Amino acid sequence: METTSKDKRFTAELEKNIAQIKRELGDSVDLVKRNIFFVGNRKVPSVLFYIDGLASVEHVEKVIDAMMYEGNEFIKRNELMISDLQTLIEQHVLMNTSFSMIEEVEKALIAILSGDSILFVDGCEKAFHIQTKGWDTRSVDEPQTEQVVRGSRDGFTENIRTNTALVRRRIRDPELRLETMSVGLRTRTDINIAYINGVVKKGLVDEVKKRLNAIKIDGILESGYIEEMIADSPFSPFTTVMSTERPDKVASALLEGRVAIFVDNTPFVLVVPTYFWQFLQASDDYYMGFMAGSFFRIIRYIAFVISLTLTSIYVMLVSFHQEMIPTPLALTIASGREIVPFPVLLEALLMEITFELMREAGLRMPKPVGQAVSIVGSLVIGQAAVQAGIVSPFMVIVVAVTGISSFAIPNYSASYSIRLIRFPLLIASGSLGLLGFSVMFALLAIHALSIRSFGESYLAPATPFQPNDQKDTLIRFPWWAMKKRPQLADGDTIKLGAHQKPKPPNKVKNPLEMSKDNQEESGEKNSEQKDKSKDESRDTSDITGLRRWKKKSGSNKGEKRKE
Amino acid sequence: MKRANLLISIFFISLLLTACAGKREINDLALVMAVGIDQGSKDGTIKITAQVSRPGDARGQTGAPTGQSGETSWNVEAEGETIFEAIRNLTGISSRRVFWAHNFIIVINEEVAKEGIGHIIDFFTRNPELRMRTLVALTPDKASEVTATITSLEVVPGEALSKLFRYTDISTLAPHTEIKDLLAAYLSESTEPILARLSLEERKIDGLKPEEGAKVKQIELSGAGVFNNDKLVGVLQANELQGIILFRDKIESGVVVVACPKDPKSEISVELNKQTFDVEPMYKNDEVSFDAKLKATITVVEAGCPFSINDKKAIEQIEKSVEVKLKDDINKSIEKIQKEYKADVLELGKVFQNKYPYEWKSMKKDWTNIFSNAEINVSVHANVESGSLLFQPTISGKEERKEE
């Protein structure tokens, strides 16, 4: 915007200010200008600017009401002096709304464009910036891309404030910090950075801010823009920034010492730094029992390996290393392949591409034609293709299993990066056999090992191996066994109090003695409750929970010794 | 990063240059399932019979049927001066590339084996495509016939042949011999090779015309051939083999039939299970001898006479007769290979060398003689552990009535 400059300030003359605003905004049709006469013992002309559709009509009306009718007796009685006008309005009129005073034209313009109203009062050098934001938003809904069986069903919306509130609702810690900035020369998109002070590693927040500040782009329409602009290795097929629709995922990431980047107008929130294994971990893992969670997580790891390598291994074996196939299987494969006119590699590419086509078509097509596509699709990848002699039945199975496995990966961006990697792997193994496969796989592994996500090793905690973090990688340990935060967190690393493993109560004694014991126990309980209430009263003075735990665990130990 | 890019681009360019070198589709291969080696029609030539499976018929084909004949395998013969030449001549017949890696079994005709199998061992171990775990067997019949004989149980005859060997540890009718064992025995200073034998016998009744008593030949395990160096010197029949197999292989169970303790006319069958076999070499006064101890726990599996596991006396008697029988069997077979064939197929030389490495050095030249004269003391200790599920004798109620 060349016409605006930050130095420009408002003047005391109303007409000039109006002209200024109108000039800057090009007198757009959606710019609403409302003339209000402030009623005191004399009428003072004032003007309210806002953008139709962005500002909430209710809010605006409230402001107008206040300005026109609710001028109280005090104002009416007293002589209206120009010099007092500003203070008068501040202190006696605009009581129902939050507002601030601004001087610069630039700020006023941004305020108007983001849905707030600007009120000019004749004779005031400053403008009133009144919060009237209130455009239509989608309600909080179930996330589309990351669904869970057990877990909260709320997902982020397009409204950044709703999104931060969803996270704030989960973490009521005063140490949860939100910082705002705007990126995009023309879009001026609001971006909020969230982190928990005292848990996040020092320097990480600065690094995130530095990278965000370095973005010079005219527009940010989705967090994908940010993701691409701040990623560590731009040419990597792996996604080094995780995006999620789930507030619980963001909250858990914050507790692990990560930084979340909220971008306005998108339900996808970015989380940095990201480890590769995070893409294979669903939030369900943490809500189901630890055994079920670990089991399904292992299944997902297997699914990852299958979706990455199965087609390549099949192609490699069938076209180069037939001796590695068990004999009965070799015969079966050979019998299926006898009528197929293409080499295996071509057959695999054909099927894989067909599958990708179907997936893409399924995503893009309008919902009413979905059935048609699925019927035709199942014919293409199915019995008909086999009967026509284009593909062998084995290839159908291989591609189908690969496809299904790729759906088991909970994060969509990870699943497409795996799909991307699959093709070079397939071509390499189809043209050089085991040699090609292993070289390509080694290259991929080297690449994955070498990339970083905000200074953190991408494959951590596998490499570099962090023993403590293994509790939450391949298998998930029960919550009461995960004592420490991941290595990533700094400062406040203990997240669990002492003696958290649940225990059954002591064995019940002789029933005849029960009644006695009950009495005693109830007495004990009472005393315990008293202790608890004491503790709680103490807790209110402690703000961080950890200090509380430390004290408690200390006292517990003392009690044990007494016993 | 630049270097990585360069590496990756070099990799992809090299992919283009290879033009898929070495690629051969599985359906362009003739998967050989069994090989038979016979003497050729001319002197000094060799005849190779390859059994190539026809996947479409062997495994059933989905999709459009193409030229199915119903035969699961395609047996072809080719002759040549050497095995390799014969195999090369096969390619003139086969429309697909002959592929050996899935070969189950190599069947060698005994006439060929008598003249020496050194070149066969060499060829089948030198070729990278062949597996070292391929089975090797001898046959007194034509190898080409043996490989081509169709059993009704398995789809591919070669597979059926290999599966015959799967339970040799129970049947003890033939040793389990793989080409790696053959090679090891051939290369060994002391041990002589031993190979399983297969023969064709009329065993199966023709399902189509049983009333005529028509029979179909089937392949069966029948003992082993004993070699001296690479030449076949003798044959051990299946009933002579149990003692040898105890020395060589780990057997899972064997069956011994002995007379009943009380009633010598009836028979009682016991099953050997959980046996330990220890061979201890001895060297005293320049004499080589071996102590072979067999400890076996046995189970009574079939009693033709009333028998109770509680009857201590009867058990002792059974144990004793089993011991005698086993000892006899082992001694007989040992004598045959020691005196008649003079071939150390029992790996006794190896055992001796392990214990007396210094003495071995002076003896190895004369090992064949020393072996054939060495004393082999066999002691058997049998222990009846259970009577399978029955503790009490199965006696007909009527018999019991009579006794009372």
Side-chain angles (χ1 to χ4, degrees), chain B residues 4 22 98 113 170 177 191 213 215 231 242 269 273 285 301 378 390:
Chain B
V98 180
I170 308 177
T177 43
T191 315
K215 289 196 173 175
K231 288 183 175 64
Q242 196 171 27
S269 305
N273 41 26
N285 312 328
V301 287
V378 180
L390 292 177

Side-chain angles (χ1 to χ4, degrees), chain A residues 469-489:
Chain A
D469 289 6
Q470 298 304 318
K471 288 182 175 180
D472 190 21
T473 42
L474 184 61
I475 53 173
R476 176 178 83 77
F477 274 48
W479 280 117
W480 40 261
M482 280 194 272
K483 203 161 177 151
K484 281 185 169 181
R485 279 182 220 288
Q487 213 92 339
L488 182 70

Side-chain angles (χ1 to χ4, degrees), chain B residues 110-351:
Chain B
E110 281 184 1
E111 296 304 313
V112 178
K114 273 176 194 160
E115 278 163 32
I117 56 166
H119 64 295
I120 299 176
I121 297 171
D122 181 76
F123 175 78
F124 283 102
T125 49
R126 194 184 287 276
N127 193 325
E129 226 173 60
L130 287 149
R131 289 180 187 182
M132 293 300 278
R133 296 206 53 189
T134 311
L135 292 160
V136 189
L138 291 171
T139 179
D141 305 289
K142 274 189 176 164
S144 56
E145 245 178 86
V146 170
T147 55
T149 303
I150 291 163
T151 61
S152 304
L153 278 177
E154 304 298 335
V155 177
V156 180
E159 202 177 344
L161 285 181
S162 79
K163 282 182 178 172
L164 280 181
F165 287 91
R166 198 191 262 181
Y167 300 112
T168 45
D169 52 351
I170 308 177
S171 65
T172 64
L173 294 174
H176 189 99
T177 43
E178 292 170 356
I179 195 147
K180 67 171 165 38
D181 303 325
L182 176 63
L183 178 69
Y186 178 61
L187 296 176
S188 160
E189 286 173 342
S190 57
T191 315
E192 300 294 350
I194 184 169
L195 282 183
R197 268 173 102 235
L198 295 169
S199 61
L200 280 170
E201 299 288 337
E202 285 189 338
R203 293 279 194 184
K204 192 189 149 204
I205 298 158
D206 194 334
L208 295 174
K209 32 191 177 177
E211 66 281 351
E212 291 166 30
K215 289 196 173 175
V216 182
K217 280 188 174 177
Q218 292 288 288
I219 306 155
E220 63 179 43
L221 296 172
S222 56
V226 177
F227 283 74
N228 191 341
N229 203 10
D230 73 331
K231 288 183 175 64
L232 181 71
V233 289
V235 165
L236 289 168
Q237 293 305 325
N239 53 6
E240 297 168 318
L241 202 65
Q242 196 171 27
I244 307 296
I245 288 185
L246 276 169
F247 266 88
R248 287 176 44 89
D249 294 358
K250 271 191 184 155
I251 67 166
E252 205 133 275
S253 86
V255 176
V256 180
V257 180
V258 291
C260 267
K262 283 171 192 162
D263 176 13
K265 274 183 234 160
S266 309
E267 277 169 339
I268 203 161
S269 305
V270 298
E271 190 184 3
L272 302 181
N273 41 26
K274 276 196 271 175
Q275 59 273 347
T276 53
F277 195 84
D278 287 319
V279 180
E280 188 69 18
M282 313 258 264
Y283 188 63
K284 265 180 203 164
N285 312 328
D286 293 347
E287 290 275 311
V288 177
S289 64
F290 293 91
D291 266 355
K293 277 181 205 155
L294 173 67
K295 267 188 204 168
T297 43
I298 54 183
T299 314
V300 177
V301 287
E302 186 187 335
C305 49
F307 168 77
S308 163
I309 195 77
N310 292 326
D311 190 349
K312 291 269 157 57
K313 228 174 168 186
I315 285 175
E316 266 172 37
Q317 220 169 335
I318 292 172
E319 282 172 354
K320 201 151 206 188
S321 41
V322 168
E323 279 165 17
V324 170
K325 179 112 200 279
L326 274 177
K327 199 171 166 181
D328 217 41
D329 280 358
I330 295 173
N331 276 336
K332 251 190 228 162
S333 358
I334 287 175
E335 178 148 335
K336 198 158 188 184
I337 54 167
Q338 231 183 337
K339 306 286 185 238
E340 201 176 318
Y341 303 144
K342 294 187 181 178
D344 175 15
V345 296
L346 305 176
E347 298 181 346
L348 289 177
K350 204 162 82 185
V351 177

Side-chain angles (χ1 to χ4, degrees), chain A residues 124-149:
Chain A
C124 287
E125 275 189 8
K126 288 180 181 172
F128 291 81
H129 169 200
I130 306 164
Q131 297 278 344
T132 55
K133 273 197 193 88
W135 55 81
D136 291 331
T137 52
R138 191 166 60 96
S139 61
V140 174
D141 215 346
E142 197 169 350
Q144 292 291 310
T145 56
E146 292 158 283
Q147 298 202 331
V148 292
V149 176

Side-chain angles (χ1 to χ4, degrees), chain A residues 118-278:
Chain A
I118 295 291
L119 178 74
F120 296 108
V121 178
D122 193 23
C124 287
E125 275 189 8
K126 288 180 181 172
F128 291 81
H129 169 200
I130 306 164
Q131 297 278 344
T132 55
K133 273 197 193 88
W135 55 81
D136 291 331
T137 52
R138 191 166 60 96
S139 61
V140 174
D141 215 346
E142 197 169 350
Q144 292 291 310
T145 56
E146 292 158 283
Q147 298 202 331
V148 292
V149 176
R150 166 128 187 221
S152 53
R153 300 252 189 271
D154 53 348
F156 288 128
T157 67
E158 281 74 15
N159 187 345
I160 189 169
R161 206 38 70 221
T162 316
N163 294 352
T164 54
L166 282 172
V167 173
R168 180 73 88 173
R169 251 170 54 193
R170 284 174 168 79
I171 305 174
R172 287 178 194 152
D173 189 351
E175 300 290 320
L176 171 63
R177 300 289 153 81
L178 281 164
E179 288 180 27
T180 182
M181 58 172 65
S182 75
V183 180
L185 214 57
R186 287 187 189 280
T187 57
R188 293 208 174 89
T189 311
D190 281 336
I191 286 179
N192 286 8
I193 306 165
Y195 58 92
I196 299 180
N197 195 24
V199 172
V200 75
K201 204 175 260 181
K202 285 173 197 93
L204 179 59
V205 181
D206 295 335
E207 176 66 25
V208 173
K209 277 193 228 162
K210 201 183 92 193
R211 290 197 193 179
L212 287 174
N213 280 327
I215 298 175
K216 298 272 181 284
I217 191 171
D218 64 337
I220 298 285
L221 296 182
E222 215 275 341
S223 52
Y225 286 49
I226 303 270
E227 191 180 319
E228 235 174 271
M229 301 289 279
I230 61 171
D232 289 55
S233 357
F235 286 108
S236 173
F238 296 104
T239 39
T240 49
V241 177
M242 188 173 83
S243 63
T244 177
E245 259 188 291
R246 298 189 59 85
D248 54 343
K249 228 171 182 174
V250 170
S252 84
L254 290 176
L255 289 170
E256 282 171 359
R258 298 178 207 277
V259 174
I261 303 168
F262 293 83
V263 179
D264 203 7
N265 299 323
T266 172
F268 288 93
V269 172
L270 306 177
V271 172
V272 289
T274 305
Y275 296 158
F276 176 72
W277 313 111
Q278 271 179 289

Side-chain angles (χ1 to χ4, degrees), chain A residues 237 306-313 315 344-360 381 395 399 402-403 406 415-432 436-437 440-441 444, chain B residues 11-12 15:
Chain A
I306 287 177
S307 73
L308 189 61
T309 59
L310 185 67
T311 339
S312 324
I313 288 177
V315 168
V344 196
L345 176 61
L346 200 63
E347 196 189 342
L349 281 175
L350 198 79
M351 286 299 275
E352 287 283 2
I353 288 170
T354 313
F355 187 76
E356 294 298 324
L357 275 176
M358 271 180 60
R359 200 207 293 249
E360 191 62 17
I381 304 188
M395 183 56 80
V399 170
T402 314
S406 73
S415 94
Y416 70 61
S417 69
I418 287 165
R419 273 151 62 201
L420 270 183
I421 299 165
R422 200 152 73 202
F423 283 95
L425 205 61
L426 181 61
I427 292 167
S429 52
S431 50
L432 281 181
F437 177 79
M440 201 67 205
F441 203 85
L444 271 175
Chain B
F11 179 73
F12 276 107
L15 283 188

